[in-house]
Amino acid sequence: TPERTQRPLTEPADIDLAWTVGTYLDTGPFALLDELGAPAFLEALATEEKSGRLLPGKAREIKAWLQHNRTLN
């Protein structure tokens, strides 16, 4: 069986474009992450997790994805 590659299915810029076209919003999720900055995003993520608005473990999955795919500083 062929091995799966570690590269993403699409690029963040493509997702942002689809998001902005489909929602009529000015900014896509990855551009918003870049504007907000990782520390502020992680703080908001922790708040959402503590409030119970995220499924158990979802914040952990998001943070792991960010650490693997984006620069967190």
Side-chain angles (χ1 to χ4, degrees), residues 23-39:
T23 63
Y24 300 103
L25 296 173
D26 295 333
T27 307
F30 292 101
L32 185 58
L33 175 61
D34 291 341
E35 286 178 25
L36 186 60

Side-chain angles (χ1 to χ4, degrees), residues 37-39 71-73:
T71 301
L72 294 182
N73 46 25

Side-chain angles (χ1 to χ4, degrees), residues 3-4 10 15 19 28-29 34-37 41 43-44 52 55-57 60 63 65 69:
E3 287 187 33
R4 292 180 136 211
T10 189
I15 294 169
W19 185 279
D34 291 341
E35 286 178 25
L36 186 60
F41 177 81
E43 184 178 325
L55 294 174
R60 194 171 40 252
K63 187 174 180 181
W65 185 91
N69 294 287

